[in-house]
Structures are given as structure tokens and as C-alpha cells.
């Protein structure tokens, strides 16, 4: 499952990662950790909440990373 998570930072990804790419990576992570491809109805809310939290953390990580040879995104 996690083999489909790709590196989302420059210079591996030439442009800034999209929200869709970040969410897809978060979804794959939650699937791997939970062991479920799709949650049962009684776990759907916690599953989706985990995806959102991880996607937000990923977006923050990518925004704050300093990679040699690339300019860091300005806060705004």
C-alpha cells in the first residue's frame, strides 16, 4: 500500500504538491497504519478525521521544509 506514497517535496516533485496529492498520501498512510483499505461504517468518522489531520500535518511539513537549492515558501 505505502509504495504508492510518493515524495512530495522539491526537487523530486518539480512544483508544489497539490492538496489532492497531499490527501492521497495521507489516505495511503492511514490505510497502511489501520490495516483497512476502507473503514467499516462505525469507523468511518475516525478514519476520515485521521486522514484530514495527517494531510494538514503534511502540508505544514512541506511548507516549512528547507531544501538546499530551493526557496522556502513565504508565509502569507
Amino acid at each position: 500500500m505505502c509504495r504508492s506514497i510518493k515524495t512530495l517535496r522539491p526537487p523530486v516533485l518539480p512544483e508544489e504538491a497539490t492538496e489532492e496529492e497531499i490527501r492521497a498520501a495521507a489516505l495511503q498512510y492511514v490505510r497502511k497504519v489501520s490495516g483497512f483499505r476502507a473503514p467499516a461504517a462505525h469507523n468511518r468518522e475516525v478514519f476520515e478525521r485521521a486522514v484530514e489531520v495527517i494531510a494538514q500535518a503534511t502540508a505544514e511539513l512541506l511548507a516549512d521544509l528547507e531544501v538546499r537549492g530551493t526557496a522556502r515558501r513565504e508565509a502569507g
Side-chain angles (χ1 to χ4, degrees), residues 41-61:
H42 62 277
N43 285 325
R44 188 165 291 125
E45 184 179 333
V46 70
F47 190 93
E48 286 299 319
R49 188 170 55 239
V51 171
E52 294 307 317
V53 167
I54 292 166
Q56 180 62 38
T58 301
E60 290 173 15
L61 170 69

Side-chain angles (χ1 to χ4, degrees), residues 17-18 20 27 30 32 35 41 44 48 63 68 73:
T18 65
E20 182 178 308
L27 177 59
V30 171
K32 183 66 171 185
R44 188 165 291 125
E48 286 299 319
R68 290 183 184 175
R73 186 181 78 169

Side-chain angles (χ1 to χ4, degrees), residues 55-71:
Q56 180 62 38
T58 301
E60 290 173 15
L61 170 69
L62 293 172
D64 292 343
L65 278 176
E66 292 184 37
V67 180
R68 290 183 184 175
T70 62

Side-chain angles (χ1 to χ4, degrees), residues 4-45:
S4 62
I5 297 176
K6 62 183 180 179
T7 302
L8 297 178
R9 66 159 177 80
V12 177
L13 192 65
E15 296 179 10
E16 192 171 302
T18 65
E19 286 184 32
E20 182 178 308
E21 290 169 320
I22 291 170
R23 189 174 193 298
L27 177 59
Q28 288 300 320
Y29 176 82
V30 171
R31 286 176 173 171
K32 183 66 171 185
V33 171
S34 70
F36 296 112
R37 174 151 173 66
H42 62 277
N43 285 325
R44 188 165 291 125
E45 184 179 333

